[in-house]
Amino acid sequence: MAALPVGVAGPNTATATTTAPLRRRLRLSRPDAAAALVFTALAAYVMGNQWRHPASGYLTGSGQDQRMWEWFFALAARSITHLDNPLGTVLQNHPQGVNLMANTAMFGVSVPLAPLTLLFGPTFTWTLVLTFGLASTAYAWYWFLGRYAVQSPIAAAVGGLFCGFAPAMISHANGHPNFVVLPLLPVILACVIRLSRGGGTRTAVVLGVLVAAQIALGEEPLLITAVAFGVFTLAWFAFRPRLAAAAVRNATRPLLLAAAIALVLTAGPLWWQFFGPQSYRFIDHGPMGNDLLGLLQFPRQSVGGHVSPGQDVAINGTEENAYFGWPLLVVVLASTVWLRREVAARAAAVTVVVLCVLSLGAELTIGRDKTGVDLPWSWLERLPLFESVLETRFAMGAVPAIALLLALTLDRALRERATLIPWTVALAVALVPLTPLPLQAVQRAPDPQFFADGSWRHYVTAGSVVTVPLPRPEDARALTWQVDADFGFPLAGGYFVGPVGPDKKAKYGPDDRPTARLFGKTQQTGIVPDVTDAMRAQAVADLTFWRADVVVLPAGDNDRVLRQTVEALLGAPGSRVDDVWVWDVRPLVRA
């Protein structure tokens, strides 16, 4: 979100357009260094529990997402060392495979950090990426606000602090690094502003490269930022319509050049994403809007949420995308009134309202009760790309706009002095309750000895390992076992996004075959099914489809019932190998 109108100089334009030597421009000032240090320290504090065990820690709020991301990071490193295609693989969901471009594989960090992954393991990379994401995003917005919106480094730091450690950022830090590593977004907006002011070809080239890089980090945050910036720009020119023509004239050709550069750089991966193997048309998440209470309450992982918890209205622990708290919204309203003569403040206020309304979804919900009130998302969700976005996440587009209002307010108070104390108190009342608490982490349980000691090698030739139940979004532990075994075997099933059915609609996890569903239901109910000859034939057909070499039952919930079910399906008892039950199905499948 740009704080200044495109085409109009701001209070710190001289800094942005300085002609000083490169050495001087790259020099880190004391305020910049202090901001970087504070943001890094706070990010380390938030991730502190995970850093205690950087090779084996597990964020409890991530569900199974941490396993999936570690698998992505480890596979990227393996693809480099084995010269494999990084965009797709059959090591998961064997033999159909996974389209990694159609998943959030984040090649923009997994590939550059591959050496660290190879040296220290994917859990270390995971922890480093999240820590870097929080700190770098905060600093990037501090840089942007300080050069395009406010004069005071303190005001810019407050805005950057909110952007980097907003409730949504902390929530996503449990399991979604693609919504945490966002430092390129303010730099992209800075380039757009420069182009609107007459920036040259070099800025257009830089913008194209940055957009391509952001696509490699995460496409959804780029889309949300584009919508938010578009709303801000339209609101700005609604208040200053005479400035629009010059901005459009300055920016049109350079923006087309930047778009062409970005398309050339990403054409291959994007083709693979939308048309390659295991691509899909869209993913239907169902209603995923914010509850209205989610805008007013404090996040669970904050001081305010700990002292004054509200009703649980979030989709899950990683999707608290609003949770601004009512004190902050009151301050935002007061700031808008106080700064009503400033166009940037009015445009920011419009953006906050529009993005928050979009995040509420197609129907207004209050306290998990549907009201029957239709909202604008019911029109927008039918558009291409938007149909696959979680509408709750559009609240993140309001975060930079709120940060802009806070920075503008504090900047003016610092200049006028007379209002500094009351506004400082107001900001403290609004922001202190949102102070994040360290994310909870534990040491994960060790892998089954069958995988850790390499016993699996005696049972795998060229086929897959079928765990019981198969790995899926509810339980993806097998992905970790595969990583620790250096990807020595492919897995049937998995945790990813892939197509289902002839219309290529996507779902999380594989297109489950009957035997996979049977295993899952058996574990859930704890009841051994009445196995028929048709079910036995189906099991053989499914194992053949998976090109299975071995069926493995590790210790877990209802494992005794599962063992009886597998024995009934295969007509043979399992063998106890190390700490798992094993059925060598190579003769059965080959026959």
Side-chain angles (χ1 to χ4, degrees):
M1 180 76 59
L4 292 180
V6 288
V8 178
N12 245 1
T13 305
T15 304
T17 59
T18 180
T19 57
L22 180 61
R23 179 181 58 188
R24 187 173 180 178
R25 281 184 287 163
L26 294 179
R27 184 180 301 167
L28 202 65
S29 68
R30 288 185 179 179
D32 293 348
L37 182 62
V38 169
F39 297 151
T40 302
L42 184 55
Y45 160 78
V46 171
M47 298 298 302
N49 291 326
Q50 180 70 11
W51 275 115
R52 292 180 182 178
H53 307 287
S56 60
Y58 199 89
L59 293 173
T60 56
S62 71
Q64 298 299 301
D65 286 349
Q66 180 173 339
R67 298 186 190 278
M68 179 186 68
W69 282 100
E70 290 179 355
W71 191 88
F72 287 154
F73 293 156
L75 185 67
R78 183 185 187 276
S79 298
I80 292 174
T81 57
H82 288 68
L83 300 180
D84 292 336
N85 176 13
L87 303 180
T89 183
V90 294
L91 286 169
Q92 190 180 163
N93 192 37
H94 193 77
Q96 292 173 303
V98 177
N99 186 323
L100 295 171
M101 265 304 296
N103 284 259
T104 51
M106 282 189 81
F107 297 111
V109 293
S110 62
V111 172
L113 295 182
L116 292 180
T117 303
L118 295 170
L119 286 173
F120 304 110
T123 304
F124 176 87
T125 302
W126 156 265
T127 308
L128 179 65
V129 166
L130 290 171
T131 307
F132 168 79
L134 292 171
S136 63
T137 300
Y139 186 85
W141 282 109
Y142 157 79
W143 171 87
F144 179 86
L145 292 170
R147 283 148 182 82
Y148 291 92
V150 297
Q151 296 176 343
S152 168
I154 296 176
V158 170
L161 186 71
F162 182 71
C163 286
F165 298 91
M169 294 287 289
I170 303 303
S171 177
H172 282 290
N174 280 291
H176 301 154
N178 57 319
F179 273 93
V180 176
V181 184
L182 306 176
L184 295 186
L185 296 178
V187 185
I188 288 172
L189 297 186
C191 289
V192 174
I193 292 174
R194 292 189 180 188
L195 290 179
S196 70
R197 296 174 179 172
T201 303
R202 184 172 65 176
T203 302
V205 172
V206 171
L207 176 60
V209 173
L210 288 174
V211 170
Q214 179 58 46
I215 289 174
L217 292 174
E219 298 168 23
E220 196 171 342
L222 182 62
L223 174 63
I224 293 172
T225 301
V227 171
F229 181 62
V231 172
F232 181 91
T233 303
L234 290 175
W236 178 280
F237 287 129
F239 298 120
R240 291 289 187 272
R242 289 180 297 178
L243 303 175
V248 172
R249 185 170 56 252
N250 290 336
T252 299
R253 288 186 178 181
L255 286 177
L256 291 175
L257 174 61
I261 292 171
L263 182 60
V264 168
L265 293 176
T266 60
L270 289 177
W271 181 91
W272 190 279
Q273 174 180 346
F274 292 105
F275 304 104
Q278 290 298 99
S279 59
Y280 52 86
R281 291 181 53 250
F282 70 98
I283 180 168
D284 184 6
H285 296 280
M288 289 291 177
N290 284 325
D291 192 291
L292 184 62
L293 293 183
L295 300 176
L296 305 173
Q297 296 180 166
F298 299 123
R300 283 175 287 182
Q301 295 171 254
S302 69
V303 171
H306 181 73
V307 175
S308 179
Q311 181 183 355
D312 183 9
V313 294
I315 297 172
N316 56 55
T318 61
E319 294 290 350
E320 292 186 348
N321 294 298
Y323 283 82
F324 300 122
W326 65 265
L328 176 61
L329 296 182
V330 171
V331 169
V332 166
L333 178 60
S335 297
T336 303
V337 173
W338 192 45
L339 301 172
R340 61 188 178 277
R341 295 186 182 278
E342 296 191 26
V343 179
R346 281 184 277 171
V350 170
T351 305
V352 172
V353 172
V354 171
L355 270 292
C356 285
V357 169
L358 288 180
S359 78
L360 295 176
E363 182 181 356
L364 180 64
T365 303
I366 304 176
R368 293 193 179 276
D369 294 327
K370 297 184 180 299
T371 64
V373 177
D374 292 333
L375 296 173
W377 181 256
S378 59
W379 310 321
L380 196 61
E381 65 180 347
R382 300 186 181 95
L383 299 178
L385 298 182
F386 288 92
E387 60 189 358
S388 297
V389 177
L390 292 177
E391 54 267 38
T392 172
R393 293 174 175 172
F394 275 92
M396 295 187 71
V399 169
I402 293 175
L404 171 58
L405 283 167
L406 299 180
L408 289 172
T409 299
L410 184 56
D411 192 56
R412 179 172 171 181
L414 286 168
R415 293 197 309 270
E416 296 183 355
R417 297 292 182 180
T419 57
L420 180 58
I421 292 179
W423 275 115
T424 301
V425 172
L427 289 174
V429 171
L431 297 180
V432 168
L434 301 180
T435 301
L437 300 176
L439 302 182
Q440 297 300 310
V442 297
Q443 271 194 287
R444 74 187 78 192
D447 296 348
Q449 292 181 3
F450 177 78
F451 294 106
D453 297 344
S455 299
W456 59 268
R457 292 187 176 89
H458 302 296
Y459 297 89
V460 176
T461 49
S464 69
V465 171
V466 177
T467 61
V468 182
L470 276 72
R472 60 204 190 282
E474 296 80 12
D475 183 0
R477 290 176 299 162
L479 272 63
T480 299
W481 307 338
Q482 185 191 41
V483 169
D484 292 343
D486 197 23
F487 293 99
F489 52 84
L491 282 170
Y495 182 18
F496 59 95
V497 180
V500 176
D503 58 353
K504 302 188 74 174
K505 177 181 177 180
K507 69 180 287 282
Y508 290 95
D511 190 359
D512 292 321
R513 298 185 67 82
T515 305
R517 292 195 294 269
L518 177 64
F519 289 156
K521 181 179 180 180
T522 301
Q523 184 186 50
Q524 183 179 11
T525 63
I527 300 174
V528 178
D530 294 327
V531 176
T532 64
D533 289 339
M535 294 166 67
R536 293 187 184 95
Q538 183 64 58
V540 174
D542 291 341
L543 291 171
T544 302
F545 174 83
W546 292 321
R547 301 175 188 175
D549 279 349
V550 61
V551 176
V552 179
L553 172 63
D557 296 339
N558 291 323
D559 52 0
R560 181 182 62 82
V561 173
L562 285 169
R563 177 164 62 89
Q564 294 174 6
T565 301
V566 177
E567 289 175 346
L569 286 172
L570 300 183
S575 302
R576 187 70 176 178
V577 180
D578 296 331
D579 51 353
V580 303
W581 290 93
V582 172
W583 289 263
D584 187 342
V585 295
R586 285 174 290 187
L588 181 65
V589 170
R590 303 300 181 269

